[in-house]
Amino acid sequence: MLRNILGRIFALWCLLLFAGTMLIVFIPIWIFSFWPDPVKSKGFLAIGRIWMIVYMPLIGCPVRRKGTEYFAPGQTYVIVCNHNSLIDVPVTTAKIPGANKTLAKASMGKIPLFGVLYRIGGIMVDRSSEASRKQSVIEMKHALSLGLHILLYPEGTRNRTKEPLKAFYDGAFALAIDTQLPLMPSVLLHTRKIVPAEKKFFAWPHRIDYHFFPPIPTQGLTRDDLPALKEKVFKQMWDFYTTHE
């Protein structure tokens, strides 16, 4: 009972601190929104990284990265990551080396103030609309052509199951193959412990580890190779998660 009470107090602290610090960074980020990409995304991330450097330790969730040496200068990547918590998006966006965009639910863009930042930093998609899904693919390919990494969560939505990973969708792997850009697997650890899926309005401080793995070349691959590529990445991420979480 005590842990539940403290967890809810801590969740309130995280929420209030997030809202308070967001108000500080909102105006400069909003100003960058008037520039075209990649300037817009680079400006957004420059401010966002400072924001998260301050915010994450203040809530007792410092982030450690490993594998950043796999990012080659001037190379653009399609990055895939597991997804357990709402905190995953700001952590991954801020900690990926270089400018990047992620695919975001259109509904998140409707949240007052926060939704503005979501729309600046992400590519919005309404998964119930085929037209929106097709347009999001066009926008992701355009962002990649500008030198922006694309971060995708191949599980589609947050993993609320007890399994380490949910089954992967094809989208991220199709994007990497279609653009012939290297695919970089990554694994985020411990965010499920911070915001457990089975508890409502509860949070608990814990260190976060974000691991990047050697990129997988896709040059010469076709859509016929997609199932094998997806299976290879799924196994790599599953094995790492189960031995380190």
Side-chain angles (χ1 to χ4, degrees):
M1 181 180 293
L2 179 60
R3 182 181 175 89
N4 285 335
I5 293 172
L6 293 176
R8 282 162 175 76
I9 293 173
F10 179 68
L12 180 61
W13 160 249
C14 293
L15 182 61
L16 292 176
L17 187 63
F18 185 87
T21 52
M22 182 182 68
L23 292 176
I24 296 173
V25 303
F26 181 84
I27 291 179
I29 289 177
W30 175 73
I31 291 173
F32 270 110
S33 71
F34 293 97
W35 270 263
D37 268 325
V39 175
K40 176 173 65 175
S41 292
K42 290 179 178 179
F44 167 78
L45 285 165
I47 298 169
R49 287 190 177 106
I50 296 172
W51 180 17
M52 289 298 110
I53 287 172
V54 174
Y55 175 74
M56 297 306 296
L58 284 178
I59 63 170
C61 300
V63 182
R64 301 190 310 186
R65 296 184 301 176
K66 290 187 178 181
T68 55
E69 67 273 13
Y70 297 127
F71 284 82
Q75 178 64 61
T76 307
Y77 299 94
V78 176
I79 304 166
V80 293
C81 185
N82 57 313
H83 192 13
N84 289 326
S85 166
L86 284 173
I87 205 170
D88 295 350
V89 175
V91 169
T92 51
T93 299
K95 292 301 181 180
I96 290 174
N100 63 88
K101 281 187 175 291
T102 189
L103 195 63
K105 291 193 298 184
S107 58
M108 298 295 290
K110 298 177 181 178
I111 301 173
L113 292 182
F114 177 70
V116 175
L117 304 187
Y118 228 79
R119 293 195 299 273
I120 295 171
I123 293 171
M124 312 308 292
V125 60
D126 179 358
R127 291 190 176 92
S128 65
S129 166
E130 183 178 358
S132 179
R133 294 196 302 271
K134 289 182 177 179
Q135 180 60 32
S136 70
V137 173
I138 293 172
E139 292 181 24
M140 285 191 291
K141 289 181 178 179
H142 177 65
L144 288 166
S145 73
L146 295 176
L148 301 173
H149 306 308
I150 291 294
L151 167 69
L152 294 171
Y153 301 105
E155 296 167 287
T157 58
R158 279 181 289 159
N159 181 8
R160 298 176 180 272
T161 74
K162 296 185 181 299
E163 296 296 324
L165 297 172
K166 294 196 304 179
F168 286 176
Y169 288 95
D170 291 347
F173 308 95
L175 180 66
I177 290 173
D178 289 349
T179 57
Q180 296 287 278
L181 289 172
L183 181 81
M184 180 175 288
S186 66
V187 170
L188 200 58
L189 299 174
H190 312 313
T191 58
R192 183 179 293 193
K193 297 173 182 176
I194 298 169
V195 186
E198 69 275 8
K199 293 188 177 184
K200 293 184 178 180
F201 201 73
F202 178 95
W204 199 259
H206 199 289
R207 185 191 76 245
I208 298 172
D209 292 325
Y210 192 17
H211 294 258
F212 300 99
F213 302 103
I216 302 171
T218 62
Q219 286 187 341
L221 298 186
T222 68
R223 288 290 187 99
D224 291 338
D225 300 301
L226 191 155
L229 176 63
K230 183 170 68 170
E231 182 180 354
K232 176 181 178 179
V233 174
F234 183 90
K235 185 178 186 306
Q236 181 183 28
M237 292 172 62
W238 177 287
D239 290 347
F240 187 88
Y241 188 92
T242 54
T243 55
H244 292 81
E245 174 68 7

